[in-house]
Amino acid sequence: MIKNYDKKFAYLLRRQNGICPIAKAKDGWAEAPTSLHHLCHNTKWAKKKFPLFIDSVWNLMAVN
């Protein structure tokens, strides 16, 4: 579970101009993001090695 999910999602929506970067890169569509996605996979190994990074805003992007 991502701490402060709503605050992080709102921050990333503003930072990404309300556009999903994956959809834009793949198809050129300006789809609105609907959830947060980890850039570094949320695995047991990653959580153990990077406990503060996994749910930080630096490891998240808002995607559709």
Side-chain angles (χ1 to χ4, degrees), residues 14-44:
R14 287 191 307 274
R15 185 177 174 98
Q16 295 174 195
N17 295 318
I19 298 170
C20 170
I22 295 172
K24 186 176 181 182
K26 183 178 176 189
D27 300 321
W29 293 99
E31 292 189 40
T34 56
S35 65
L36 293 178
H37 179 75
H38 295 271
L39 300 174
C40 177
H41 296 291
N42 192 13
T43 61
K44 286 182 183 179

Side-chain angles (χ1 to χ4, degrees), residues 3-62:
K3 293 179 184 176
N4 300 314
Y5 189 96
D6 294 334
K7 286 176 95 174
K8 290 176 180 177
F9 188 72
Y11 170 79
L12 289 171
L13 279 179
R14 287 191 307 274
R15 185 177 174 98
Q16 295 174 195
N17 295 318
I19 298 170
C20 170
I22 295 172
K24 186 176 181 182
K26 183 178 176 189
D27 300 321
W29 293 99
E31 292 189 40
T34 56
S35 65
L36 293 178
H37 179 75
H38 295 271
L39 300 174
C40 177
H41 296 291
N42 192 13
T43 61
K44 286 182 183 179
W45 175 85
K47 281 193 255 185
K48 185 176 180 181
K49 186 155 177 88
F50 309 111
L52 300 177
F53 179 67
I54 294 297
D55 292 342
S56 79
V57 74
W58 305 110
N59 184 43
L60 298 170
M61 67 169 52

